[in-house]
Amino acid sequence: MNHSHSASYAAAGVDIEAGYRSVQLMKEHVARTAIPGVVSGLGGFGGLFAPDLTGMREPVLVSGTDGVGTKLRVAQLMDRHDTIGIDCVAMCVNDVICCGAKPLFFLDYIAIGKNDPEKVAAIVSGVAEGCVQAGCALIGGETAEHPGVMAPDDYDLAGFTVGVVDKPKMLDGGDMKPGDVLIALPSSGLHSNGFSLVRKVFDVEHAGLTRHVDELGQSLGEALLTPTRVYVKPVLACIEAVPVKGVSHITGGGFYENIPRCLKPGLSAKIEKKAIGVPAIFNLLQKTGAIPERDMFNTFNMGVGLVLVVGKEDADKALEGLKDQDAFILGELTGDDEPVVLL
């Protein structure tokens, strides 16, 4: 039991004891993420991890950091906080795997107006679930109470991950060529991007978020809070089975910004729009906001969360290995002038 207490600090709006209770409540969630290599538990000044580098000739550490953006506002309006942590993990680890790295560990940072231990524990439960899905360990984090700066019910969430890849196996796109195939892994919906536009179009501050929407088969709030898919395990398995040449995580900026990030200079991605099963939430969003199609593909993932580039001769094997992800052929690489061409 911790006997630390400051009446003066409490009078200023910071409840130290609530922080201790938050840590106690989250320990069971953190324990779910333990993997070989974890050295330290919660409570130290740093999270310790001893990676197994057996078989690696030239190990390279790969880091990624991100937040959840204004999707957090939807969670706050819905008073549902147990899935937003999955988004935070996914946004980080899905970036790290784009160069072929395996995420090892994760840390989170929660800034909150007033520390509600149960709410903080719910947030961390989502972070832990995301780590379990990614196969990485949650080895530390920070919860900071910000009275007078944030409203009592407000919070922000960010995360940081470190992975490792053997340098000879890094994905750098160097061997890409025209005729290579683009394979898409479907998204679960909006994921965690474009929510400033989403919130404006749907007027979420005043919308009935719990009202059932026939086009969605659920409430608007439930659709908006659908967690980002974590692609780590299937993508790493595919990289082991097939010579994957590049991976792109489709986040803010949509197709036009993200697909070129993994392409060899001088190559273009020719996309077959009819191949994409666009989820209903995007159609409703475009119709409600009268958003031009190019803006949709330049802001949202439109139903494609991740894109892999493989040789034409390896496409069938890659699709077979990713069939539980409902993967499909999105298009191919060409030498066109435009980085991305949607047909």
Side-chain angles (χ1 to χ4, degrees), residues 200-271:
K200 177 178 182 291
V201 168
F202 289 133
D203 189 19
V204 299
E205 298 291 331
H206 306 100
L209 290 176
T210 60
R211 178 178 56 85
H212 183 84
V213 179
D214 289 341
E215 298 101 305
L216 303 177
Q218 58 186 330
S219 73
L220 177 60
E222 289 171 328
L224 298 184
L225 280 185
T226 302
T228 306
R229 287 182 69 173
V230 175
Y231 298 104
V232 172
K233 293 178 181 179
V235 169
L236 292 181
C238 185
I239 290 173
E240 286 296 315
V242 175
V244 174
K245 300 183 179 185
V247 179
S248 181
H249 184 200
I250 310 302
T251 55
F255 283 46
Y256 289 102
E257 286 190 20
N258 289 291
I259 293 179
R261 293 169 68 181
C262 83
L263 300 184
K264 181 179 177 180
L267 293 178
S268 172
K270 184 173 72 174
I271 306 296

Side-chain angles (χ1 to χ4, degrees), residues 277-292:
V278 178
I281 186 64
F282 295 104
N283 296 323
L284 180 62
L285 178 64
Q286 183 175 10
K287 179 177 68 175
T288 304
I291 303 172

Side-chain angles (χ1 to χ4, degrees), residues 264-307:
K264 181 179 177 180
L267 293 178
S268 172
K270 184 173 72 174
I271 306 296
E272 298 287 346
K273 287 188 294 185
K274 62 183 180 182
I276 305 170
V278 178
I281 186 64
F282 295 104
N283 296 323
L284 180 62
L285 178 64
Q286 183 175 10
K287 179 177 68 175
T288 304
I291 303 172
E293 182 181 71
R294 181 182 171 91
D295 287 359
M296 291 295 295
F297 278 92
N298 207 165
T299 307
F300 304 106
N301 67 64
M302 298 302 288
V304 175
L306 208 78
V307 175

